[in-house]
């Protein structure tokens, strides 16, 4: 009799604790269909980006992708207004007030795609695809860096995000599609 009580009371407590956990897991499930998907791949020691949603728009089925390398201070057009060790040769352009999906991976070693202004830190692991949903509310330029010690030039992997209104973003994409 006593053994049944010892067994059933913890089982009832576990069931009571699991009910809120299941509802929380259900509410965390992705219910929004993102409008833009950005693939982010970490390399030693630069980032590559790909807008994979627009491959059907291109005649040769190529993609809008590019590599972002850190700009040295001497390579900047006007040294005022630029941040040393945070500028890249190309900036990632993303729309505001739009649901975004980031697919993050790495080609060689562990990296971490981090933009502190967004509160985003996604690990980039070789052979693994991590997903992060993002909704940018502000227009502006946002900086980040690799926050995983990935090698000798780990400190030279900056991230620059430019968030534009949705119409300007679509204009930017259309001009890129015309250049292909």
């Amino acid at each position: 009799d006593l053994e049944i009580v010892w067994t059933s009371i913890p089982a009832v407590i576990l069931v009571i604790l699991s009910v809120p956990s299941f509802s929380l897991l259900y509410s965390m499930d992705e219910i929004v269909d993102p409008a833009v998907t950005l693939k982010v791949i970490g390399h030693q020691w630069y980032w590559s980006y790909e807008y994979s949603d627009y491959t059907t728009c291109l005649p040769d089925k190529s993609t809008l992708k590019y590599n972002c390398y850190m700009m040295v201070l001497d390579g900047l057009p006007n040294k005022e207004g630029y941040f040393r060790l945070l500028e890249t040769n190309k900036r990632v352009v993303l729309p505001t007030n739009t649901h975004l999906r980031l697919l993050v991976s790495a080609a060689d070693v562990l990296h971490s795609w981090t933009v502190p202004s967004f509160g985003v830190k996604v690990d980039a692991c070789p052979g693994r695809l991590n997903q992060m949903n993002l909704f940018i509310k502000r227009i502006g330029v946002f900086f980040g860096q690799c926050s995983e010690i990935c090698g000798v030039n780990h400190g030279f992997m900056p991230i620059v995000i430019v968030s534009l209104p949705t119409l300007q973003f679509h204009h930017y994409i259309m001009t890129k599609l015309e250049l292909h």
Side-chain angles (χ1 to χ4, degrees), residues 74-95:
D74 297 336
L76 297 174
N78 179 4
K79 292 177 179 58
E80 292 180 20
Y82 288 97
F83 294 103
R84 183 178 166 270
L85 300 180
L86 287 178
E87 291 295 335
T88 57
N89 62 336
K90 295 179 182 172
R91 293 178 170 183
V92 179
V93 178
L94 293 174

Side-chain angles (χ1 to χ4, degrees), residues 1 18 30 33 47 52 78 83 87 104 116 122 126-127 145 159 170 175:
D1 231 13
S18 67
E30 181 181 332
D33 188 27
W47 295 101
S52 56
N78 179 4
F83 294 103
E87 291 295 335
V104 182
V122 186
Q145 286 182 306
I159 300 162
H170 289 302
T175 57

